[in-house]
Amino acid sequence: DTGVSQDPRHKITKRGQNVTFRCDPISEHNRLYWYRQTLGQGPEFLTYFQNEAQLEKSRLLSDRFSAERPKGSFSTLEIQRTEQGDSAMYLCASSSGAVGNNYGYTFGSGTRLTVV
Amino acid sequence: RKEVEQDPGPFNVPEGATVAFNCTYSNSASQSFFWYRQDCRKEPKLLMSVYSSGNEDGRFTAQLNRASQYISLLIRDSKLSDSATYLCVVTPLRGGSYIPTFGRGTSLIVHP
């Protein structure tokens, strides 16, 4: 499978618990993005990695959220002390190339988080 | 003002109709532009890139107008299978990086 993989597909957690999601991008893609999507909205940008460097973070990414991409391959997104408002689909995307990328971004199937 | 604005619809059209969507963006330094399609509870998938010269892929035509800062998508001869949400994507410069930024999507329903 040469697509973007995300694990788990679904996660139900109790409020206050910590959760961690994993994303495996397409192997030759050096750029990785995390998004959050709620019903009726487009994906909202959370953070961006180029190789192992986290180059951009959204204001949406509160101090309860942290992301890593330790070896420039897979990435993890952790949410600490989850709140009901964190319930959403968390999407990972990857891409190659530099400025002026016209090949787009490939998304994984997402992790659907439900906080109860 | 949002960086990328789309009319959420829904656009309800009969099979065979032609339908057009527009999307406006606020950052004139944006680099790349795309239309994505998203089916219910699925991930977004690339439909087509958008260029100033316009580009066509079968029944789909996309156009970029940099001067007015909008992109458009035209679907001809709509099929039932075209029913989906269409997401406009723009890449504004943010903190030194071009970050793909999505509109909220336009819902299309094609009925028999």
Side-chain angles (χ1 to χ4, degrees), chain B residues 14-82:
Chain B
E15 269 187 294
T18 295
V19 62
F21 308 137
N22 283 335
C23 163
T24 59
Y25 61 95
S26 59
N27 189 323
S28 60
S30 297
Q31 272 285 334
S32 304
F33 305 85
F34 307 92
W35 283 102
Y36 273 70
R37 170 190 169 130
Q38 187 171 29
D39 294 293
C40 188
R41 301 181 78 83
K42 299 283 190 181
E43 73 274 22
K45 292 190 175 174
L46 178 65
L47 182 65
M48 56 200 307
S49 302
V50 190
Y51 308 110
S52 297
S53 54
N55 50 309
E56 189 173 311
D57 182 2
R59 298 181 293 108
F60 298 83
T61 301
Q63 186 78 50
L64 165 64
N65 185 318
R66 282 192 182 271
S68 301
Q69 294 181 205
Y70 77 84
I71 70 174
S72 63
L73 177 68
L74 183 77
I75 305 175
R76 291 180 298 277
D77 188 24
S78 299
K79 311 290 185 193
L80 296 176
S81 58
D82 293 334

Side-chain angles (χ1 to χ4, degrees), chain A residues 14-33:
Chain A
K14 290 184 178 179
R15 192 173 49 187
Q17 297 294 304
N18 299 345
V19 294
T20 300
F21 311 141
R22 177 179 169 124
C23 172
D24 287 87
I26 292 172
S27 57
E28 57 266 31
H29 285 182
N30 63 341
R31 294 162 187 244
L32 187 147
Y33 308 82

Side-chain angles (χ1 to χ4, degrees), chain A residues 33 35 37 40-43 45 48 55-56 91 99-105 107-109 112, chain B residues 2 31-32 34 36 38 41 43-44 46 49 51 87 91 94-95 97-100 102-104:
Chain A
Y33 308 82
Y35 289 84
Q37 187 175 25
Q41 301 298 318
F45 170 73
Y48 159 59
L55 296 185
E56 188 65 24
L91 291 160
V99 170
N101 164 36
N102 284 317
Y103 299 99
Y105 309 87
F107 280 84
S109 300
R112 185 169 297 280
Chain B
K2 286 193 172 182
Q31 272 285 334
S32 304
F34 307 92
Y36 273 70
Q38 187 171 29
R41 301 181 78 83
E43 73 274 22
L46 178 65
S49 302
Y51 308 110
L87 296 160
T91 55
R94 198 190 291 192
S97 301
Y98 289 92
I99 301 298
F102 286 74
R104 64 176 295 183

